[in-house]
Amino acid sequence: MRAGVLSDDRVIEFLNKNFINVWVSNVELERTPRKQAYMARRRKELSKTFDRTHPLAKAIIEGWKEHSPVDCLVISPEFDVMGKLPLNDFFDDCSRIGVSEEEAYLKFLEDSLAGKFPGFADETSDALSGGLNVVLNREQTEQEVLDILRTPRYGYQDYTVVEIDATAFEEGGTLTINIRMGTAKPGGSFDLFDNNTELPTKGIPNEALTSVWDIPSGQIGEIRHRFERGKVFKLGATGTWFNEKGSINAFQARISVKPTETP
């Protein structure tokens, strides 16, 4: 790093202007079983060791990539991970696509501050997320989505949209969406629409089939909707009107269908 991206004056200036720059040793964080065993012995000799229960330590542990020896993380003042970058992958990718490391690293930092959550999409597995398109059937009745929402201007909507395909349930069923908000400051509001509905951009979403509004930071909410035949839905996620415009938070939605049992 010191001989590469950190030798670029633009990167150094950007880091010094926008971040508090720190580093933590993988040994101190007991990242592998060998390091855990080592630190267990060291604790007997040291008067003070790194507190792995501290919110900063927990954010680092949440953000690192398994088997990555070095990770660069952008963490908000509320200890939310805003960007993650396994450096071995980063250097390989820069070499593969012919982009300078300095430009790519600066873009990573800028995207993190802009709330684009770089590195999150790359690590979201199929088991955790179907992207923004969830397809459910009798073999797979449940999926989870992890994404972010943004706060619009008061009285407006700025939806992150998740498409939910439940057409496989020809006899209908009950759609349940369990939502957990991230720990950043903004709360979230969620509206469920029929697929043919044009999502509103302002005002109260009266066209919604059902809604749950103003879920506070770190809290949970639920949407439940019974449908008579298989169809496609759209879930709109947006920041509550009482947040600061443009502020962001993550949300996790567990989406499931209990099919109607026919005699």
Side-chain angles (χ1 to χ4, degrees):
M1 289 286 286
R2 282 181 293 181
V5 296
L6 296 184
S7 64
D8 188 296
D9 291 341
R10 295 172 305 160
V11 173
I12 293 298
E13 182 180 355
F14 192 82
L15 284 169
N16 289 338
K17 180 179 179 181
N18 296 285
F19 299 93
I20 298 173
N21 303 291
V22 298
W23 69 274
V24 181
S25 166
N26 282 331
V27 175
E28 292 283 351
L29 285 175
E30 305 175 35
R31 187 161 181 173
T32 65
R34 179 179 294 180
K35 293 179 175 63
Q36 292 168 10
Y38 172 78
M39 286 305 297
R41 295 193 302 270
R42 288 286 288 163
R43 282 195 201 93
K44 299 176 182 179
E45 306 170 10
L46 300 175
S47 60
K48 186 176 182 180
T49 58
F50 196 84
D51 181 8
R52 297 178 79 247
T53 66
H54 189 279
L56 176 58
K58 293 170 72 173
I60 295 171
I61 293 169
E62 173 194 337
W64 69 33
K65 180 180 179 180
E66 188 176 6
H67 306 308
S68 173
V70 182
D71 296 88
C72 180
L73 304 173
V74 175
I75 300 173
S76 74
E78 295 81 18
F79 301 109
D80 291 307
V81 181
M82 306 293 290
K84 53 179 73 174
L85 188 66
L87 289 183
N88 279 11
D89 295 350
F90 168 72
F91 295 133
D92 290 343
D93 290 343
C94 289
S95 176
R96 177 172 51 82
I97 63 178
V99 176
S100 74
E101 295 172 0
E102 293 79 7
E103 293 293 341
Y105 188 68
L106 193 58
K107 186 176 188 306
F108 161 73
L109 298 174
E110 291 170 342
D111 286 350
S112 297
L113 290 185
K116 296 182 179 180
F117 287 76
F120 277 72
D122 297 338
E123 290 196 354
T124 304
S125 67
D126 292 337
L128 175 64
S129 170
L132 295 183
N133 296 288
V134 172
V135 180
L136 301 176
N137 51 50
R138 289 183 177 270
E139 288 69 43
Q140 185 173 10
T141 60
E142 179 179 304
Q143 286 193 42
E144 290 188 0
V145 168
L146 177 65
D147 214 286
I148 62 171
L149 53 76
R150 290 178 174 82
T151 301
R153 197 170 87 195
Y154 185 88
Y156 285 74
Q157 309 293 347
D158 183 10
Y159 288 120
T160 295
V161 181
V162 181
E163 183 179 289
I164 305 169
D165 186 340
T167 55
F169 301 94
E170 297 179 357
E171 304 298 326
T174 301
L175 173 66
T176 302
I177 306 173
N178 292 300
I179 302 160
R180 179 179 294 276
M181 290 299 301
T183 55
K185 186 176 180 180
S189 292
F190 299 80
D191 302 301
L192 183 69
F193 298 91
D194 185 273
N195 189 50
N196 296 322
T197 302
E198 183 177 350
L199 271 58
T201 58
K202 63 183 298 185
I204 297 175
N206 295 316
E207 302 87 349
L209 300 170
T210 184
S211 305
V212 58
W213 294 342
D214 303 334
I215 304 176
S217 169
Q219 299 301 305
I220 61 175
E222 181 181 88
I223 282 179
R224 191 180 294 268
H225 176 70
R226 181 174 176 80
F227 57 99
E228 300 300 325
R229 58 183 178 82
K231 61 192 307 183
V232 177
F233 301 93
K234 289 187 288 191
L235 175 68
T238 185
T240 67
W241 289 349
F242 308 103
N243 301 327
E244 180 183 354
K245 180 181 180 296
S247 57
I248 60 175
N249 199 356
F251 70 91
Q252 182 180 26
R254 181 180 296 109
I255 304 168
S256 63
V257 169
K258 182 178 181 181
T260 299
E261 300 296 336
T262 56

